[in-house]
Each structure stands twice: as C-alpha cells, then as structure tokens.
Amino acid sequence: TRTGAFIQGGEAVVIDANATLSDRELGQDRDNWSGAVLTLQRWDTSGDVAAANADDLFDGSGNLASLAAASGTVTLGGIDIGSYTQAGGVLAITFSAAATTARVDEVLQSLTYANAKTAPGSLADASVSIRVTIDDGNTGDADQGAGGALTDTAVISIAINRLPVLSADTATVAEGVATTDTTSVAGNVLTDGTADSDPDSDTITVVGGKAGAATATAADYTLVAVSSTSASNAASVSGSYGSLAIGADGSYVYTVDN
C-alpha cells in the first residue's frame, strides 16, 4: 500500500516503501533470487487485464540506481544484482545470483512512478493501478521442484493530483485626463472569460502575483494571503503603469498611476 499522491509534472513518487517479496525456495531456503523476474505495468482493474501505458515512467530511488534507460543493469548500493528492460510502460527486472531477499525487497521498495504527461488538462486519469508480478523463474532446479515457474501478483493504486487548467484574462482601462483622476478596473482572474478549472474538482486559489512575465522562481512573486479578497487583506503588485490589488479568491482591482 502507499500514501500520498503523485503530483502531475512533479517529482516521481515511491510506489510502495513497505512492499516485500516472499518465496519459500528463493527466500527462506537459499536466499538467492537468481532467475526470478519482477514486472510492473499499469492494470485495468475493471476488466482485470493488462493496460500498459507508455506515459508511465518507472525509475529507482535511494540506493537503487536509475532505471530510466530502455535497458541496463540493476545496481543497488553499488552492487549489480540483475538486469532490466523498460518499454511501453512495462518495467521488467531479472535478478542475478547477487540478489538476496534483502536486496530484492529494497529494490521493490525503491521503485518510483511518474507520468510523462505534464501539460495541464492532458492527463485523463485521477489514479493509476500498477500490477506487480513476481515470476520465480523455476526451470526445474532440484531445490524448486518440477512444477515449473510460478507467479504471484499484487495491484498498487497511485492517486494523481492533476494540474489545474488556467485561461489567460485581459482587461482594459483608460488613463485619466488629469493627474488627480483615479482610474481603475476590477475583475476576477479565476472566473472572468473562460473560467479556470481543476480536473480533480479541487478549489483553485491565487497564491502569488508578479508584474511582467511569469517565472518558475517562487521568490519572484508577491505572496497572496489565504482567504483574502481584493477588498480585504489584498496583496499589492506594482507594475510599470499602475498597481494591482489581488485576493486569494481571484478578485482584483487594477489602478492606473495617473
């Protein structure tokens, strides 16, 4: 199981930090998972069928080296314990002789999920179900028996917090004739024109504002107080020709410097 959501366009999240693998012969009897294959892919739980999606990106974290390439070596804490392939939203790890139970558990607990769709409005799913399958790789070894390869599966659900969809707003105001004139325009950046929306039905609020082009640096923005309005505890943003009073609810008043 896991807690917390993957934020669209954000950092990859660990799929399940508490997951473990168990097999009598590979684990308890010989503590060697050589030949076993661990596979992750999206699963359609409604139809109980595979639904691999190329937008699903799996990788490693902590002591587990990156698995972002199409194929490579699985390296945990500097020790090579297998190989992997990743294509079309399917990650397959084949363990080698150095893969002890403790190491395969740490690999499983270090796997991360992210989604390639980062543009607002591009992600249809509010969650994904990831099916984890372990194949014991039994080829008839004496200590595994003659029953052939056996598999077991589990499905882990990952919630996705999708980005809000924002629309640009415009407003015009005429400069006053006299320097004593007060000229302003009011509106709401969240609801005017094409209203902004959130695909997860979360409430959208304004948290910061700045004059000029947008940047990715939080320190460039003037903080907008929680629950504020343009008339109550508004943030003030000064521009080249006037100032903007804006609240968390999206309401604003722009006043020209005459």
Side-chain angles (χ1 to χ4, degrees):
T1 58
R2 61 159 282 104
T3 58
F6 166 70
I7 299 175
Q8 184 184 10
E11 298 288 334
V13 295
V14 172
I15 295 171
D16 192 334
N18 300 303
T20 59
L21 296 172
S22 178
D23 183 276
R24 173 60 186 270
E25 292 82 20
L26 300 180
Q28 291 93 321
D29 291 349
R30 72 185 192 186
D31 196 24
N32 185 328
W33 290 71
S34 180
V37 180
L38 179 67
T39 305
L40 278 73
Q41 63 177 317
R42 191 185 296 206
W43 199 255
D44 179 358
T45 55
S46 62
D48 197 27
V49 293
N53 190 310
D55 292 326
D56 296 330
L57 307 175
F58 301 106
D59 208 341
S61 65
N63 292 325
L64 180 60
S66 176
L67 306 174
S71 63
T73 300
V74 178
T75 303
L76 182 73
I79 300 172
D80 295 342
I81 63 169
S83 60
Y84 76 91
T85 61
Q86 181 166 193
V90 180
L91 172 67
I93 295 174
T94 302
F95 292 111
S96 65
T100 63
T101 299
R103 287 170 180 161
V104 297
D105 281 349
E106 186 173 355
V107 166
L108 180 57
Q109 294 165 8
S110 302
L111 294 174
T112 65
Y113 173 84
N115 194 284
K117 288 187 174 179
T118 59
S122 64
L123 193 53
D125 303 303
S127 67
V128 293
S129 295
I130 303 299
R131 192 186 206 202
V132 180
T133 301
I134 183 66
D135 182 326
D136 67 6
N138 183 6
T139 58
D141 292 346
D143 62 347
Q144 282 191 279
L150 297 177
T151 63
D152 196 12
T153 64
V155 176
I156 301 170
S157 180
I158 302 174
I160 299 178
N161 185 351
R162 294 171 291 178
L163 294 174
V165 179
L166 308 182
S167 301
D169 298 304
T170 61
T172 59
V173 60
E175 185 177 10
V177 176
T179 58
T180 56
D181 288 343
T182 299
T183 310
S184 63
V185 62
N188 191 296
V189 297
L190 300 181
T191 60
D192 289 351
T194 301
D196 301 335
S197 62
D198 186 274
D200 301 316
S201 299
D202 294 332
T203 300
I204 304 175
T205 60
V206 177
V207 296
K210 72 178 294 292
T215 69
T217 304
D220 293 342
Y221 291 77
T222 298
L223 182 66
V224 177
V226 175
S227 300
S228 61
T229 70
S230 59
S232 175
N233 200 27
S236 180
V237 180
S238 297
S240 299
Y241 306 103
S243 61
L244 180 75
I246 188 166
D249 66 344
S251 61
Y252 72 87
V253 176
Y254 178 77
T255 304
V256 176
D257 294 332
N258 285 318

